[in-house]
């Protein structure tokens, strides 16, 4: 006896949905075409035997609404049964999420595993965009400020001071020739410490590795849950026997 697995039902569900949608759409358009539902039969009889004889005319009914209803019910019954089988099995299909031999979450329903997969994709994107510390600097964590900091760097502050350069001494006939220039003179010192709320690159890489491991574990768990054997559900026939009895 061949056992059908949940992943096989999932594989055919999309095709069943598409074919059912086409069948229902075609049926809807068909019953809107009044000429296809109409038929007639008429014969001609002259007043007397000498009158003109005309051949009978007839048009066959091409579409019978009850048959269209039956076709729609048959198509939808297949969809109802496939969907019921999937949903009934989804209620039973579970698996553990295991990372490096450690069970992170146990007995997770397959529908929640699908939710986790999508959320972890977004989380991976978020972490990959986290700001990181400038690798050109040396950083240490400041417990008091609860941020990262660099070692203090001391720099000078200078000020331009005018100076005179005597080109020629004064004489009794000529004044002294003096050239004015400026000179940078150290007047103080700056001590600069840089702080940052960003993360070390190694921390971001560590977080990314954890997310990727969890993503792999969730995918594996989903595959395991999707391997659950299904019990075919046949609800469509009961529904349409009631609707179109």
């Amino acid at each position: 006896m061949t056992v059908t697995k949940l992943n096989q039902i999932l594989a055919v569900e999309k095709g069943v949905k598409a074919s059912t949608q086409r069948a229902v759409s075609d049926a809807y358009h068909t019953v809107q075409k009044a000429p296809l539902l109409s038929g007639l039969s008429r014969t001609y009889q002259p007043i007397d035997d000498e009158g003109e004889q005309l051949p009978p005319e007839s048009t066959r009914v091409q579409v019978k609404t009850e048959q269209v209803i039956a076709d729609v019910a048959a198509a939808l019954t297949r969809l109802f049964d496939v969907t019921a089988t999937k949903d009934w099995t989804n209620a039973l299909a579970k698996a553990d999420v295991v990372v490096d031999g450690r069970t992170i979450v146990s007995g997770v329903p397959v529908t929640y595993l699908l939710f986790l997969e999508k959320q972890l994709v977004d989380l991976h994107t978020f972490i990959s965009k986290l700001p990181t510390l400038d690798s050109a600097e040396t950083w240490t964590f400041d417990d008091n400020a609860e941020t990262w900091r660099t070692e203090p760097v001391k720099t000078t502050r200078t000020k331009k001071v005018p100076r005179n350069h005597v080109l020629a001494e004064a004489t009794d006939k000529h004044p002294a020739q003096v050239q004015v220039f400026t000179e940078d003179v150290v007047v103080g010192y700056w001590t600069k410490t840089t702080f940052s709320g960003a993360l070390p690159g190694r921390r971001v890489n560590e977080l990314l590795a954890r997310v990727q491991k969890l993503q792999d574990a969730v995918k594996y768990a989903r595959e395991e849950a999707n391997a659950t054997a299904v019990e075919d559900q046949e609800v469509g026939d009961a529904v349409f026997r009631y609707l179109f009895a």
Side-chain angles (χ1 to χ4, degrees):
M1 179 180 177
T2 302
V3 178
T4 304
K5 302 294 182 64
L6 177 58
N7 51 18
Q8 293 173 301
I9 292 294
L10 294 173
V12 302
E13 181 188 25
K14 186 175 181 180
V16 172
K17 282 183 178 179
S19 61
T20 302
Q21 187 175 26
R22 284 195 303 270
V24 174
S25 179
D26 290 345
Y28 171 80
H29 290 296
T30 296
V31 295
Q32 304 307 310
K33 298 175 181 177
L36 297 179
L37 284 81
S38 301
L40 64 82
S41 175
R42 70 175 183 167
T43 58
Y44 181 77
Q45 182 178 358
I47 292 177
D48 53 45
D49 293 339
E50 295 181 359
E52 182 181 7
Q53 298 291 329
L54 298 177
E57 297 177 1
S58 65
T59 301
R60 185 172 61 87
V61 172
Q62 299 178 59
V63 174
K64 299 175 182 177
T65 303
E66 284 290 354
Q67 184 58 52
V68 173
I69 289 175
D71 293 342
V72 168
L76 286 171
T77 294
R78 171 64 173 153
L79 175 62
F80 278 34
D81 289 349
V82 167
T83 303
T85 299
K86 179 196 73 173
D87 289 346
W88 257 255
T89 308
N90 274 342
L92 302 173
K94 298 179 181 180
D96 296 343
V97 177
V98 181
V99 178
D100 293 337
R102 173 189 172 191
T103 300
I104 306 300
V105 192
S106 60
V108 186
V110 67
T111 48
Y112 193 77
L113 290 170
L114 289 170
F115 165 79
L116 273 181
E117 276 193 71
K118 293 178 181 178
Q119 293 299 312
L120 289 173
V121 169
D122 294 340
L123 194 56
H124 186 280
T125 301
F126 168 73
I127 293 174
S128 68
K129 302 297 183 182
L130 290 175
T132 56
L133 298 173
D134 184 356
S135 59
E137 300 280 0
T138 300
W139 300 89
T140 55
F141 192 76
D142 188 321
D143 292 322
N144 293 325
E146 296 185 342
T147 60
W148 293 87
R149 62 178 290 170
T150 61
E151 291 298 318
V153 176
K154 191 173 184 179
T155 57
T156 59
R157 177 177 179 268
T158 60
K159 183 178 181 180
K160 293 187 180 295
V161 178
R163 301 292 192 198
N164 295 327
H165 175 61
V166 179
L167 299 176
E169 297 292 341
T171 65
D172 55 352
K173 295 182 178 180
H174 301 283
Q177 294 182 25
V178 179
Q179 182 183 41
V180 179
F181 66 96
T182 59
E183 180 181 2
D184 289 332
V185 176
V186 175
V187 295
Y189 299 93
W190 285 108
T191 300
K192 176 184 175 183
T193 302
T194 302
F195 294 87
S196 176
L199 293 175
R202 67 179 181 277
R203 173 61 173 164
V204 174
N205 291 334
E206 175 190 327
L207 294 176
L208 283 174
R210 288 188 181 186
V211 171
Q212 288 164 355
K213 277 189 175 183
L214 188 55
Q215 283 179 301
D216 291 342
V218 169
K219 288 177 182 177
Y220 181 82
R222 175 173 56 81
E223 290 299 320
E224 183 180 347
N226 282 339
T228 301
V230 303
E231 182 177 341
D232 289 335
Q233 301 295 325
E234 297 180 355
V235 301
D237 185 58
V239 170
F240 291 105
R241 274 193 287 109
Y242 165 75
L243 286 175
F244 300 137

